[in-house]
Amino acid sequence: MPAGLGRERPPVTGMPDMTDATALLTTADGKPLKAALARSMRTRRRRALMLVLPLLLFILVTFLMPIGQMLFQSVYNPDFSVAAPSLRQWFKEHPQGSEIDEGAYAALAADLQHMAKDKLAGAAGQRMNFDVPGTRSLFTATARKAGDLAPPYKESLLAIDKKWSDPMIWRAMRSASSAYTGDFYLAAVDMTRDADGKIVKVDEKERVYVKLFVRTFGLSILITFICLVLAFPVAHLLATLPMARSNLLMILVLLPFWTSLLVRTTSWIVLLGNEGVLKSALRGIGLLAHDTEGPQLIYNQTGTIVAMTHILLPFMILPLYSVMRTIDPRYVRAAKSLGATSWTAFRRVYLPLTLPGVGAGGLLVFILAIGYYITPALVGGAEGQLISNLIALHINKTLNWSLAASLSGLLLLAVLILYWLYDRLVGIDKLKLG
């Protein structure tokens, strides 16, 4: 072994420690440089935070808090639990499957008297009506006679109405006795609980929500695909034309944004109606007989697809255009010079470069489509209604806000899953909207 090999090299002395040297540096006023730099960074962060704080507060108040309140409303409904404290206590002491004895009927009688005194029978009956239709009138009618109830309470209540022996009503009261429940999410997927508390599917004639969810997502995917097919050549034309002509045509793309959504939707009623412009033109040129109505183009899924495609098409064109405008045309020319055909150059060079715009436009159009309400309500008829129309029905007419919040929560979950899939497949950092 050569001399010195493997021996520990003695430390080199006399070299300055850069850490110590930096620590010894000071500013003009004699303060340590390291502390001054740290203080300067903290000041910059505070200034940046103060600049974005108004926006953060705005998002918190107008976006995050309503979503949180909606999700809370979907699992919280205290209308019955507040109105029936005696039954709530009885259900707490007697687990699922216990016999509905005289004590249960006594607790029910006490709660009915409490409802009649504080005028809570309507709210409690409305809450029960969400689970068992027709029970609101049962509660209000019995509460009016609650002052005449006397032991034995079971016989007194059954004398007023035989429905009080229905096990489904007692199952629903047990479920509603807790202000927190997940039954509204069960109802949102056409599920319920039987008399024993087991989760089962509702009757086939009452299965509405899953069918509407499937229709909503199916139509939204179809509309997104149609928008992509129509928007791709338009965006390509705008991106390849000289800037002067491109800007002129871009005005036509942006023109719908200057027109009311309601006007654009109702115009399709005039165009596609049985006596509308389109069918009148077809009759005029002889393609449609004067004594026939022809195919129904409005108040069905066809009307919903046509109107929503027209409204959402600009939201697909703009992201595609913003990406295509940045693609260097020399890439395609280089591929052709190396022997690629026009189709091969498009498929292997140009199309992959447009994927960020395709993903952004598709994501934007799809999310807007699944939440659309006005257009399906006006031109969709019974066949073209989406889940948003049923959510509005529960909010405005049936007043079942918890079920509406559950449907909205499932819709929000679907959007979040879509974002996650987009991030895994494309990457959320590649999202380009303009």
Side-chain angles (χ1 to χ4, degrees):
M1 179 182 297
L5 185 62
R7 296 180 182 178
E8 183 179 355
R9 180 175 297 177
V12 179
T13 60
M15 296 294 292
D17 190 345
M18 297 305 297
T19 304
D20 294 340
T22 305
L24 294 176
L25 292 176
T26 59
T27 60
D29 55 356
K31 296 181 180 179
L33 179 60
K34 187 175 182 180
L37 290 175
R39 184 170 62 254
S40 176
M41 291 299 298
R42 288 196 299 268
T43 303
R44 289 186 179 184
R45 291 193 186 99
R46 283 196 296 267
R47 289 177 180 175
L49 178 61
M50 294 303 295
L51 288 174
V52 301
L53 186 60
L55 178 60
L56 292 176
L57 292 176
F58 178 79
I59 294 175
L60 177 64
V61 173
T62 63
F63 185 70
L64 296 180
M65 287 182 62
I67 290 178
Q69 185 179 10
M70 176 200 71
L71 296 176
F72 181 72
Q73 186 74 35
S74 66
V75 296
Y76 179 75
N77 193 314
D79 290 343
F80 184 81
S81 60
V82 170
S86 300
L87 272 176
R88 184 175 69 245
Q89 183 63 30
W90 189 90
F91 286 130
K92 185 178 180 180
E93 296 174 354
H94 297 78
Q96 179 74 40
S98 300
E99 181 184 358
I100 307 302
D101 55 12
E102 178 65 17
Y105 282 96
L108 175 60
D111 287 335
L112 288 171
Q113 293 171 357
H114 169 64
M115 295 177 194
K117 179 182 178 182
D118 295 344
K119 298 181 180 180
L120 299 173
Q126 181 75 10
R127 168 64 182 89
M128 291 297 302
N129 203 66
F130 296 152
D131 287 339
V132 184
T135 50
R136 188 180 190 279
S137 58
L138 174 65
F139 272 83
T140 54
T142 308
R144 286 194 294 267
K145 303 176 183 178
D148 300 331
L149 294 175
Y153 291 106
K154 180 177 181 178
E155 296 180 5
S156 299
L157 287 166
L158 295 181
I160 295 176
D161 199 313
K162 296 292 185 182
K163 291 181 181 179
W164 288 116
S165 62
D166 188 351
M168 288 301 295
I169 293 180
W170 284 94
R171 192 277 310 163
M173 288 193 295
R174 176 183 290 276
S175 177
S177 63
S178 173
Y180 296 92
T181 177
D183 288 353
F184 291 105
Y185 279 101
L186 292 178
V189 292
D190 293 331
M191 307 286 283
T192 186
R193 297 182 186 273
D194 58 12
D196 298 327
K198 297 179 180 178
I199 298 176
V200 295
K201 290 184 177 181
V202 299
D203 188 79
E204 188 173 357
K205 297 180 180 179
E206 300 176 3
R207 298 174 189 174
V208 178
Y209 304 111
V210 172
K211 185 184 300 183
L212 271 178
F213 271 115
V214 172
R215 179 192 299 173
T216 299
F217 285 100
L219 290 181
S220 298
I221 292 173
L222 178 60
I223 291 168
T224 303
F225 177 75
I226 295 174
C227 286
L228 176 61
V229 172
L230 296 177
F232 201 95
V234 176
H236 177 70
L237 178 64
L238 292 173
T240 54
L241 283 177
M243 186 62 69
R245 294 184 180 180
S246 176
N247 291 339
L248 183 61
L249 293 178
M250 182 60 71
I251 296 177
L252 301 179
V253 175
L254 299 176
L255 189 61
F257 291 115
W258 304 338
T259 308
S260 170
L261 175 63
L262 189 61
V263 172
R264 283 182 284 164
T265 302
T266 52
S267 64
W268 283 107
I269 300 177
V270 178
L271 290 172
L272 302 178
N274 290 330
E275 301 299 329
V277 176
L278 180 60
K279 287 191 176 181
S280 297
L282 293 176
R283 292 188 183 100
I285 61 178
L287 294 179
L288 187 63
H290 288 275
D291 56 346
T292 59
E293 292 186 355
Q296 183 74 16
L297 300 177
I298 202 70
Y299 305 125
N300 53 18
Q301 292 187 17
T302 302
T304 299
I305 293 171
V306 171
M308 290 183 62
T309 300
H310 166 243
I311 293 170
L312 296 176
L313 186 58
F315 294 98
M316 181 68 77
I317 294 177
L318 295 176
L320 285 173
Y321 168 76
S322 67
V323 172
M324 291 179 178
R325 195 71 186 181
T326 61
I327 298 176
D328 195 333
R330 291 177 295 181
Y331 295 159
V332 176
R333 291 199 297 265
K336 290 182 179 180
S337 67
L338 294 174
T341 62
S342 298
W343 167 246
T344 302
F346 170 79
R347 178 174 56 87
R348 302 189 64 177
V349 178
Y350 191 80
L351 183 61
L353 294 174
T354 64
L355 287 182
V358 172
L363 192 67
L364 182 61
V365 171
F366 181 80
I367 291 176
L368 290 174
I370 62 175
Y372 247 58
Y373 164 69
I374 295 178
T375 302
L378 292 178
V379 302
E383 296 180 5
Q385 298 291 297
L386 304 182
I387 194 66
S388 57
N389 301 105
L390 204 58
I391 293 173
L393 174 69
H394 286 307
I395 291 176
N396 298 322
K397 293 186 178 181
T398 67
L399 302 181
N400 192 350
W401 291 6
S402 295
L403 181 55
S406 300
L407 294 170
S408 302
L410 293 178
L411 207 58
L412 175 63
L413 177 62
V415 172
L416 294 177
I417 292 175
L418 182 64
Y419 269 115
W420 178 78
L421 289 175
Y422 181 87
D423 184 44
R424 294 296 300 269
L425 298 177
V426 180
I428 204 69
D429 56 323
K430 298 180 181 180
L431 185 67
K432 294 183 179 181
L433 296 176

